[in-house]
Coordinates of all heavy atoms in Angstrom, one line a residue:
V1 N 11.6 -14.4 -19.0 CA 11.9 -13.6 -17.9 C 13.2 -14.1 -17.2 O 13.3 -15.3 -17.1 CB 10.7 -13.6 -16.9 CG1 11.1 -12.8 -15.6 CG2 9.5 -13.0 -17.5
V2 N 14.0 -13.2 -16.7 CA 15.1 -13.6 -15.9 C 15.1 -12.7 -14.6 O 14.8 -11.5 -14.7 CB 16.5 -13.4 -16.6 CG1 16.6 -12.0 -17.1 CG2 17.7 -13.8 -15.8
G3 N 15.3 -13.3 -13.5 CA 15.2 -12.6 -12.2 C 16.6 -12.2 -11.7 O 17.6 -12.9 -11.9
I4 N 16.6 -11.0 -11.0 CA 17.8 -10.5 -10.4 C 17.5 -10.1 -9.0 O 16.5 -9.4 -8.7 CB 18.4 -9.3 -11.1 CG1 18.7 -9.6 -12.6 CG2 19.5 -8.7 -10.4 CD1 20.0 -10.5 -12.7
G5 N 18.3 -10.6 -8.0 CA 18.0 -10.3 -6.6 C 19.3 -10.3 -5.8 O 20.4 -10.3 -6.3
I6 N 19.1 -10.5 -4.5 CA 20.3 -10.5 -3.6 C 20.2 -11.8 -2.8 O 19.2 -12.3 -2.4 CB 20.3 -9.3 -2.6 CG1 20.6 -8.0 -3.4 CG2 21.2 -9.5 -1.4 CD1 20.6 -6.7 -2.6
L7 N 21.4 -12.4 -2.6 CA 21.5 -13.6 -1.7 C 21.8 -13.1 -0.3 O 22.9 -12.7 0.1 CB 22.7 -14.5 -2.2 CG 22.8 -15.8 -1.4 CD1 21.6 -16.6 -1.6 CD2 24.0 -16.5 -1.8
W8 N 20.7 -13.1 0.5 CA 20.9 -12.6 1.9 C 21.4 -13.8 2.7 O 20.7 -14.8 2.9 CB 19.5 -12.2 2.4 CG 18.9 -11.1 1.6 CD1 18.0 -11.1 0.7 CD2 19.3 -9.7 1.7 NE1 17.7 -9.9 0.1 CE2 18.6 -9.0 0.7 CE3 20.3 -9.0 2.4 CZ2 18.7 -7.6 0.5 CZ3 20.4 -7.6 2.2 CH2 19.6 -6.9 1.3
R9 N 22.7 -13.6 3.2 CA 23.4 -14.8 3.8 C 22.7 -15.3 5.1 O 22.8 -16.4 5.4 CB 24.8 -14.4 4.1 CG 25.7 -14.4 2.9 CD 25.8 -15.8 2.3 NE 26.8 -15.9 1.3 CZ 28.0 -16.5 1.5 NH1 28.3 -17.1 2.7 NH2 28.9 -16.6 0.5
Q10 N 22.0 -14.3 5.8 CA 21.2 -14.8 6.9 C 19.7 -14.4 6.7 O 18.9 -14.5 7.7 CB 21.7 -14.1 8.2 CG 23.1 -14.7 8.7 CD 23.4 -14.3 10.1 OE1 22.9 -13.3 10.7 NE2 24.2 -15.2 10.7
G11 N 19.3 -14.2 5.5 CA 17.9 -14.1 5.2 C 17.2 -13.0 6.0 O 17.8 -12.0 6.3
Y12 N 16.0 -13.3 6.3 CA 15.2 -12.4 7.1 C 15.1 -13.1 8.5 O 15.4 -14.3 8.6 CB 13.8 -12.2 6.5 CG 13.0 -11.1 7.1 CD1 13.4 -9.8 7.2 CD2 11.7 -11.4 7.6 CE1 12.7 -8.8 7.7 CE2 10.9 -10.3 8.2 CZ 11.4 -9.0 8.2 OH 10.7 -8.0 8.8
T13 N 14.5 -12.5 9.5 CA 14.5 -13.0 10.8 C 13.6 -14.3 10.9 O 12.6 -14.5 10.3 CB 13.8 -12.0 11.8 OG1 13.7 -12.6 13.0 CG2 12.5 -11.5 11.3
T14 N 14.2 -15.2 11.7 CA 13.4 -16.4 12.2 C 12.8 -15.9 13.5 O 13.6 -15.6 14.4 CB 14.3 -17.6 12.4 OG1 14.8 -18.0 11.1 CG2 13.5 -18.8 13.0
Q15 N 11.5 -15.8 13.6 CA 10.9 -15.2 14.8 C 10.3 -16.2 15.7 O 9.3 -16.9 15.3 CB 9.8 -14.2 14.3 CG 9.8 -12.9 15.1 CD 9.3 -11.7 14.3 OE1 8.1 -11.8 13.9 NE2 10.0 -10.6 14.2
R16 N 10.8 -16.3 16.9 CA 10.3 -17.3 17.8 C 9.6 -16.6 19.0 O 9.7 -15.4 19.2 CB 11.5 -18.1 18.4 CG 12.3 -18.9 17.3 CD 11.5 -19.9 16.6 NE 12.2 -20.7 15.7 CZ 11.6 -21.5 14.8 NH1 10.3 -21.7 14.8 NH2 12.4 -22.2 13.9
I17 N 8.9 -17.4 19.8 CA 8.2 -16.9 21.0 C 8.8 -17.5 22.3 O 8.9 -18.7 22.4 CB 6.7 -17.3 20.9 CG1 6.1 -16.8 19.6 CG2 5.9 -16.7 22.1 CD1 6.1 -15.3 19.4
C18 N 9.2 -16.6 23.2 CA 9.7 -17.0 24.5 C 8.6 -17.7 25.3 O 7.4 -17.5 25.0 CB 10.2 -15.8 25.3 SG 11.8 -15.2 24.7
S19 N 9.0 -18.3 26.4 CA 8.0 -19.0 27.3 C 7.1 -17.9 27.9 O 6.0 -18.2 28.4 CB 8.7 -19.8 28.3 OG 9.7 -19.0 29.1
N20 N 7.6 -16.7 28.0 CA 6.8 -15.6 28.6 C 5.9 -14.9 27.6 O 5.2 -13.9 27.9 CB 7.7 -14.5 29.2 CG 8.6 -13.8 28.2 OD1 8.5 -14.0 27.0 ND2 9.5 -13.0 28.7
G21 N 5.9 -15.5 26.3 CA 5.0 -15.0 25.3 C 5.5 -13.8 24.5 O 4.8 -13.3 23.6
K22 N 6.8 -13.4 24.7 CA 7.3 -12.3 23.9 C 8.2 -12.9 22.8 O 8.9 -13.9 22.9 CB 8.2 -11.5 24.8 CG 7.5 -10.7 25.9 CD 8.4 -9.8 26.7 CE 7.6 -9.0 27.8 NZ 8.4 -8.2 28.6
P23 N 8.0 -12.2 21.6 CA 8.8 -12.7 20.4 C 10.2 -12.3 20.5 O 10.6 -11.2 21.1 CB 8.0 -12.0 19.2 CG 7.3 -10.9 19.8 CD 7.1 -11.2 21.3
Y24 N 11.1 -13.0 19.8 CA 12.5 -12.7 19.7 C 13.0 -13.1 18.3 O 12.4 -14.0 17.7 CB 13.3 -13.2 20.8 CG 13.4 -14.7 20.9 CD1 14.5 -15.4 20.3 CD2 12.5 -15.5 21.5 CE1 14.6 -16.8 20.3 CE2 12.5 -16.9 21.5 CZ 13.6 -17.5 20.9 OH 13.7 -18.9 21.0
D25 N 14.1 -12.5 17.9 CA 14.6 -12.8 16.5 C 15.8 -13.6 16.5 O 16.7 -13.4 17.4 CB 14.9 -11.4 15.8 CG 13.7 -10.6 15.7 OD1 12.8 -11.0 14.9 OD2 13.6 -9.5 16.2
V26 N 15.9 -14.6 15.6 CA 17.1 -15.4 15.4 C 17.5 -15.3 14.0 O 16.6 -15.3 13.1 CB 16.7 -16.9 15.8 CG1 17.9 -17.8 15.5 CG2 16.3 -17.0 17.2
F27 N 18.8 -15.2 13.7 CA 19.3 -15.2 12.3 C 20.2 -16.4 12.1 O 21.1 -16.6 12.8 CB 20.0 -13.8 12.1 CG 19.1 -12.6 12.2 CD1 19.0 -12.0 13.5 CD2 18.4 -12.2 11.2 CE1 18.1 -10.9 13.6 CE2 17.6 -11.1 11.3 CZ 17.4 -10.5 12.5
E28 N 19.8 -17.1 11.0 CA 20.5 -18.3 10.7 C 21.1 -18.3 9.3 O 20.5 -17.7 8.4 CB 19.6 -19.5 10.8 CG 18.9 -19.6 12.2 CD 17.8 -20.6 12.3 OE1 17.3 -21.0 11.2 OE2 17.4 -21.0 13.4
D29 N 22.3 -18.9 9.1 CA 22.9 -18.9 7.8 C 22.1 -19.7 6.8 O 21.5 -20.8 7.2 CB 24.3 -19.5 7.9 CG 25.3 -18.6 8.6 OD1 25.0 -17.4 8.7 OD2 26.3 -19.1 9.1

């Protein structure tokens, strides 16, 4: 088997939680 895909330069969201309990999204290289 050989795999084919995409190199997502910032991937998928890094999801963090604010001090008020609400989630927010961060994108990292």
Side-chain angles (χ1 to χ4, degrees):
V1 174
V2 57
I4 300 289
I6 288 180
L7 183 65
W8 301 102
R9 282 299 191 102
Q10 288 196 335
Y12 194 57
T13 174
T14 297
Q15 222 155 58
R16 301 296 183 190
I17 306 296
C18 286
S19 57
N20 64 5
K22 294 183 178 180
Y24 65 97
D25 297 297
V26 177
F27 295 91
E28 301 169 343
D29 293 338

